[in-house]
Amino acid sequence: MQVRGAKVLVCGAGGFIGGHLVNALFAAGAASVRAVDSKPFHEWQQVNPEADNRVLDLRRIESCREAAEGMEGVFQLAADMGGMGFIENNKALCMLNVLANTHMLMAARDAGVRRHFYSSSACVYNAEKQKDFEVTALREEDAYPAMPEDGYGWEKLFSERMCRHFYEDFGLEVRVARFHNVYGPRGTWAGGREKAPAAIGRKVLEAKHSGRHQIEIWGDGHQTRSFMYIDDCTKGILDIFESGILEPINLGSSELVTINGLVDIAERIAGVKLERTYNLSAPKGVNGRNSDNTLIRKYLGWEPSTRLYDGMVNTMAWIEQEMLAGSAPR
């Protein structure tokens, strides 16, 4: 199925990735885009005036049926989630995302939707394979035997299986991508739900503007991660949606960096050098995680085109603009 000329639905359109995806779908030639989120419009990260924008709580089956009516393609990104600080302290809330995922699959099946994209997460991967800082990149088969991130990871893995069985039992075409740490402008940058690139970018900028050249880092700073820029993410979503790939597939960067290295990048961009303290009791997640992109390169020839440094330049410029304007983080 092609996006061009199709009527498509974006669930979670008021969020960071969802908002950018709405814009990318219009740019790709979608006939119409229905944008849905449970938050009131003033809390959406961005609102595209060309879209059919609706406030709907997708945990309710009635809302999912309204959202899916007349749609040919569905992009299910709606989730109550955030960075490591949020998901480690809100496991029950993260598990409740299964309501939106399940009800949206049911509504899509009943509405005759042709294709359903589900945004999973690298949090589904077996924790035993993520204990070493010198990480071996995670392949798709490393999700089993199952030992995902407690709460959020279990819900994502369960919902992946639900997608698989809706295809097997009902013929609903599904595509599943496992996102690896997406960042960029117009994302959450404060308040507790922000992820590492935004959190570190904000902390470095606050230190720069306050003159207090100190930064607190969660964990010991040796944790390793990869981070994917938002434009690469939306291109990957569209490529996977239009592909024939039936199994869950990684969507992430393979450019590995330590958290200390991420702070180095942010300091270089801001032109400051900070004294570092380490909060060893703060949530820090697994020791090492990286994306093995062998399969997506094989199937689609896809690889992120944005270096982490360049993406952080754009992200920090936007955060600084928001900070100086006194804008409240969303």
Side-chain angles (χ1 to χ4, degrees), residues 61-300:
I61 184 66
E62 298 84 0
S63 296
C64 291
R65 287 178 176 144
E66 177 183 335
E69 183 180 4
M71 295 293 100
E72 298 172 280
V74 170
F75 294 84
Q76 163 47 359
L77 280 67
D80 204 350
M81 58 86 67
M84 190 53 59
F86 180 82
I87 66 175
E88 285 201 3
N89 292 305
N90 295 277
K91 294 185 176 67
L93 281 178
C94 290
M95 291 293 285
L96 286 171
N97 289 328
V98 75
L99 293 173
N101 298 333
T102 304
H103 288 155
M104 201 63 242
L105 281 166
M106 294 168 65
R109 174 199 62 189
D110 297 344
V113 166
R114 293 174 56 194
R115 187 161 294 179
H116 184 284
F117 175 93
Y118 174 61
S119 60
S120 187
S121 166
C123 290
V124 303
Y125 284 113
N126 190 313
E128 290 295 318
K129 296 180 180 290
Q130 302 174 75
K131 289 185 171 181
D132 195 339
F133 298 122
E134 300 296 325
V135 63
T136 299
L138 294 162
R139 299 169 298 177
E140 283 76 3
E141 60 262 34
D142 290 333
Y144 296 93
M147 193 185 296
E149 191 92 43
D150 198 10
Y152 184 67
W154 275 109
E155 177 273 320
K156 286 293 187 184
L157 192 61
F158 173 84
S159 294
E160 284 189 7
R161 302 295 286 193
M162 184 75 78
C163 287
R164 170 180 168 176
H165 297 314
F166 264 69
Y167 171 64
E168 294 170 342
D169 293 359
F170 306 120
L172 176 62
E173 286 276 348
V174 293
R175 300 292 181 265
V176 176
R178 292 172 178 162
F179 291 0
H180 287 249
N181 291 317
V182 187
Y183 74 102
R186 304 191 76 88
T188 301
W189 53 274
R193 290 181 184 254
E194 67 276 20
K195 296 191 174 183
I200 287 172
R202 184 200 77 241
K203 288 179 179 181
V204 169
L205 289 168
E206 286 174 342
K208 171 187 173 181
H209 287 288
S210 69
R212 296 187 295 272
H213 286 187
Q214 298 176 329
I215 185 171
E216 180 186 85
I217 297 170
W218 288 9
D220 58 14
H222 297 302
Q223 312 97 288
T224 49
R225 294 290 188 277
S226 62
F227 300 99
M228 173 175 52
Y229 191 63
I230 183 61
D231 292 351
D232 292 319
C233 178
T234 54
K235 183 181 187 307
I237 290 172
L238 297 185
D239 287 352
I240 292 168
F241 180 83
E242 293 183 341
S243 77
I245 302 169
L246 293 175
E247 69 266 35
I249 192 164
N250 282 334
L251 184 61
S253 170
S254 56
E255 183 185 351
L256 194 66
V257 66
T258 64
I259 296 302
N260 276 328
L262 184 59
V263 176
D264 290 341
I265 289 172
E267 287 179 336
R268 180 180 164 198
I269 292 167
V272 295
K273 194 67 178 174
L274 308 180
E275 178 186 344
R276 302 180 187 188
T277 59
Y278 295 89
N279 185 346
L280 302 182
S281 63
K284 69 179 186 67
V286 296
N287 286 332
R289 177 181 291 159
N290 196 14
S291 178
D292 185 318
N293 288 347
T294 302
L295 271 186
I296 197 167
R297 282 197 303 268
K298 173 185 173 183
Y299 289 145
L300 301 175

Side-chain angles (χ1 to χ4, degrees), residues 301-322:
W302 180 93
E303 188 75 25
S305 61
T306 309
R307 294 186 312 147
L308 179 58
Y309 180 87
D310 297 329
M312 284 295 289
V313 168
N314 297 339
T315 303
M316 289 179 63
W318 179 81
I319 292 173
E320 188 168 34
Q321 175 183 308
E322 293 290 292

